[in-house]
Amino acid sequence: MKVHCQNLVLMPWSFICLCSSLYMKYNTEHDAPYWRGPVWINLNYLILSALHHYAQEDGPYKTRAAEVYKELRQNLIGNIVHNYKSGYFWEQYDNAASGKGKGAHPFTGWTSLVVLMMAEIH
């Protein structure tokens, strides 16, 4: 695990943002934190796209953006491929300690963005 800023941590499978007091908080008593906990491939694809953009632009963060882009891309692709050994693409991935697929499966919605990540199409 690497800390890239005070509240943003790059895990072996994705970024986790710890900056919100709502992180992993239930929406209601019986409604799990659907968008506030698991790793979502669609959101990480947007992060990758931004990092790719800034890695191409001249500026003080060009080199750092390229480094984080490369590491995040490898982590996301590696985790999705690792979880595909179950025979499924998953809707979301665990953010805790494993990166394990969870939620709906088979799920080829936004998880299919992994193909664009592999091809580096942003």
Side-chain angles (χ1 to χ4, degrees):
M1 169 174 49
K2 294 181 182 176
V3 177
H4 289 278
C5 70
Q6 184 177 4
N7 295 312
L8 192 61
V9 179
L10 181 59
M11 300 297 280
W13 46 87
S14 171
F15 268 116
I16 296 177
C17 180
L18 305 174
C19 60
S20 173
S21 62
L22 298 174
Y23 179 72
M24 289 303 293
K25 300 286 187 211
Y26 274 60
N27 300 319
T28 65
E29 181 181 351
H30 304 288
D31 187 16
Y34 191 67
W35 288 103
R36 291 181 280 209
V39 173
W40 294 94
I41 301 307
N42 52 338
L43 298 178
N44 277 272
Y45 179 77
L46 293 173
I47 294 169
L48 270 182
S49 294
L51 288 167
H52 184 265
H53 170 78
Y54 288 109
Q56 308 303 315
E57 296 291 320
D58 288 330
Y61 301 107
K62 179 177 183 168
T63 302
R64 187 69 179 130
E67 293 167 356
V68 176
Y69 167 82
K70 181 180 177 184
E71 187 173 358
L72 177 60
R73 180 177 170 269
Q74 289 173 344
N75 291 356
L76 288 167
I77 292 169
N79 191 57
I80 293 169
V81 168
H82 173 76
N83 277 279
Y84 189 71
K85 292 176 185 174
S86 69
Y88 301 111
F89 286 123
W90 294 83
E91 177 187 20
Q92 55 190 278
Y93 295 84
D94 185 38
N95 68 355
S98 67
K100 183 179 178 187
K102 57 191 252 185
H105 69 283
F107 188 84
T108 54
W110 46 68
T111 304
S112 62
L113 287 168
V114 70
V115 176
L116 298 179
M117 291 178 202
M118 291 174 168
E120 295 191 274
I121 297 173
H122 301 284

